[in-house]
Amino acid sequence: LQLAQGGKTTLKLNTAGECEVWVNGNSIGRTRSASSSAKDMPVETELSTELPQGKHRIVIRIDPNNLPDFLRLESSEGTFVMD
C-alpha cells in the first residue's frame, strides 16, 4: 500500500473466512467469521492503524485448512502497488 500522506489508514476486508491482517510486520487485527448458518456470506471488517507516508507491506494470514471462497481488500487512503 502506498500512501501520499501519513495518518489514520483504514483497510476494509470483505471475506467469509477468518483472517489476520499485518502491516509492516505488526498485527492490526482479525476478521470475524460469518455465523455457521451464514458461513458463505461475506463479512466486512474495518481495521485502522496510523501509518506514515510511503510504501507499506500488507500480509493477510489465512488458515490453509479453512480457505475462504473470496477475499477483497480495499482502502480509500492509498494505492495498492506490486513490488
Side-chain angles (χ1 to χ4, degrees):
L1 179 67
Q2 186 166 350
L3 301 175
Q5 297 180 25
K8 181 179 176 184
T9 303
T10 300
L11 300 174
K12 292 181 185 179
L13 192 62
N14 198 338
T15 184
E18 276 191 51
C19 305
E20 185 171 9
V21 180
W22 296 69
V23 178
N24 300 330
N26 298 306
S27 176
I28 64 165
R30 295 180 155 274
T31 64
R32 61 187 193 282
S33 62
S35 67
S36 58
S37 62
K39 67 179 182 173
D40 295 330
M41 297 297 296
V43 174
E44 183 174 278
T45 303
E46 289 190 4
L47 303 169
S48 296
T49 188
E50 291 285 331
L51 294 173
Q53 175 184 0
K55 287 186 182 179
H56 304 279
R57 181 177 304 269
I58 298 173
V59 174
I60 301 172
R61 188 172 137 205
I62 302 170
D63 179 356
N65 297 316
N66 190 22
L67 295 175
D69 290 333
F70 54 89
L71 184 141
R72 181 181 177 107
L73 180 65
E74 300 177 41
S75 179
S76 60
E77 286 89 9
T79 304
F80 291 99
V81 293
M82 301 285 292
D83 278 341

